[in-house]
């Protein structure tokens, strides 16, 4: 448990500096990350992934939209849907944040070796309830 706690803590700290420069927090980063993985994701899909309240997500999305990081548009078939997509500025921001995390993960993977990485991924997948794994697999592309 200590390894999970401290490993995750150091990973997110590598992202926090970039967020702080923009006056953003971790909830903003999570939203940017998942919107980048699936452009035109609906607000409902993002709400399901993040497992936060609609009110909390609304604040995050409004701030990201007001700052020009995301665009929100109505669905093509169902105009009540709100589709989310990163703007070029948002894409650059997400890419920069992702690069900080990628460097940290790359160093850890190099330290552990290929076999350990495969085992680590299996452990992480095992932590996700079986009924939610498909949702996560779809995000990988």
């Amino acid at each position: 448990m200590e390894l999970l706690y401290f490993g995750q803590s150091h990973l997110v700290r590598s992202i926090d500096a970039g967020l702080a420069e923009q006056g953003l927090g971790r909830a903003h980063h999570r939203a940017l990350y998942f919107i980048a993985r699936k452009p035109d994701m609906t607000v409902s899909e993002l709400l399901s992934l993040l497992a936060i309240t609609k009110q909390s997500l609304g604040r995050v999305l409004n701030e990201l939209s007001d700052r020009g990081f995301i665009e929100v548009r109505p669905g093509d078939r169902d105009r009540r849907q709100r589709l989310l997509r990163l703007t070029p500025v948002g894409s650059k921001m997400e890419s920069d944040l992702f690069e900080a995390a990628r460097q940290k993960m790359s160093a850890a993977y190099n330290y552990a070796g290929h076999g350990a990485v495969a085992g680590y991924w299996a452990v992480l997948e095992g932590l996700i309830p079986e009924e939610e794994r498909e949702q996560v697999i779809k995000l990988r592309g």
Side-chain angles (χ1 to χ4, degrees):
M1 291 303 292
E2 291 84 359
L3 291 173
L4 280 173
Y5 173 79
F6 288 107
Q8 190 266 351
S9 178
H10 284 280
L11 179 63
V12 296
R13 277 190 229 159
S14 67
I15 298 165
D16 285 347
L19 289 168
E21 288 173 11
Q22 296 292 324
L24 300 175
R26 291 177 183 167
H28 298 95
H29 174 248
R30 288 188 296 271
L32 289 169
Y33 176 84
F34 286 116
I35 295 167
R37 300 294 141 328
K38 188 176 180 216
D40 291 331
M41 173 183 288
T42 67
V43 171
S44 296
E45 289 173 312
L46 185 57
L47 194 59
S48 173
L49 283 172
L50 297 179
I52 60 175
T53 66
K54 194 182 270 190
Q55 184 178 7
S56 294
L57 181 59
R59 278 192 299 268
V60 166
L61 293 178
N62 285 337
E63 187 167 357
L64 291 173
S65 179
D66 290 347
R67 306 249 328 254
F69 290 120
I70 65 168
E71 59 184 46
V72 182
R73 66 178 182 80
D76 296 327
R77 285 180 269 191
D78 184 347
R79 307 291 289 167
R80 294 171 298 177
Q81 279 187 326
R82 294 185 326 162
L83 304 179
L84 306 168
R85 179 178 284 269
L86 297 183
T87 64
V89 172
S91 185
K92 170 83 169 91
M93 173 69 169
E94 192 282 329
S95 179
D96 290 347
L97 295 170
F98 184 81
E99 181 59 21
R102 189 199 64 73
Q103 287 177 10
K104 185 71 94 175
M105 290 300 295
S106 180
Y109 286 172
N110 285 333
Y111 171 80
H114 181 72
V117 172
Y120 175 68
W121 280 32
V123 169
L124 291 176
E125 286 176 353
L127 290 172
I128 302 166
E130 193 171 334
E131 63 273 8
E132 294 178 23
R133 286 184 196 148
E134 187 65 31
Q135 184 180 30
V136 174
I137 290 168
K138 285 180 183 178
L139 290 169
R140 285 195 227 159

